[in-house]
């Protein structure tokens, strides 16, 4: 399965909901990922630009984007960003493939 990193921030209503009923949100997030065949690898509440950093696995990037959209549609989070992550070994293979393509692209102009 592919590895993804998701960054998000709580909206005002999301923060109000947590303050009203403080709870660990990893269960509901895992339940949502279960619906697309994914799993939470790690979930952290952070300070700074993002309130949430999640590492997850899913069969496809479309799955994690759909999960992010569903959570954002609830109004409890904003600024959801999901990026694909590769291990060092996986990225070596990508770099090798890029090397075979060097010079094959014709730039505009």
């Amino acid at each position: 399965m592919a590895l993804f990193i998701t960054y998000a921030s709580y909206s005002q209503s999301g923060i109000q909901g947590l303050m009203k009923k403080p709870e660990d949100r990893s269960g509901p997030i895992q339940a949502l990922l279960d619906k697309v065949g994914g799993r939470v690898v790690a979930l952290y509440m952070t300070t700074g630009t993002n309130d949430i950093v999640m590492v997850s696995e899913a069969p496809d990037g479309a799955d994690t984007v759909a999960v992010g959209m569903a959570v954002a549609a609830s109004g409890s989070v904003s600024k959801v960003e999901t990026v694909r992550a590769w291990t060092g070994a996986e990225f070596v293979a990508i770099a090798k493939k890029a090397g075979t393509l060097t010079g094959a692209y014709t730039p505009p102009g």
Side-chain angles (χ1 to χ4, degrees), residues 15-98:
I15 291 170
Q16 289 172 342
L18 279 174
M19 290 171 46
K20 183 176 181 179
K21 184 182 174 191
E23 64 179 328
D24 181 350
R25 299 299 300 158
S26 58
I29 294 169
Q30 181 57 63
L32 195 55
L33 279 164
D34 285 343
K35 292 183 180 295
V36 297
R39 76 177 185 96
V40 174
V41 175
L43 178 65
Y44 300 100
M45 301 306 120
T46 61
T47 57
T49 305
N50 302 296
D51 298 322
I52 304 156
V53 176
M54 179 178 69
V55 179
S56 62
E57 288 182 331
D60 185 274
D63 298 320
T64 56
V65 171
V67 166
M69 289 175 71
V71 173
S74 75
S76 63
V77 298
S78 62
K79 299 188 308 181
V80 179
E81 178 184 7
T82 300
V83 297
R84 172 73 160 85
W86 292 271
T87 65
E90 290 170 332
F91 207 76
V92 166
I94 293 168
K96 285 179 181 176
K97 183 180 277 189

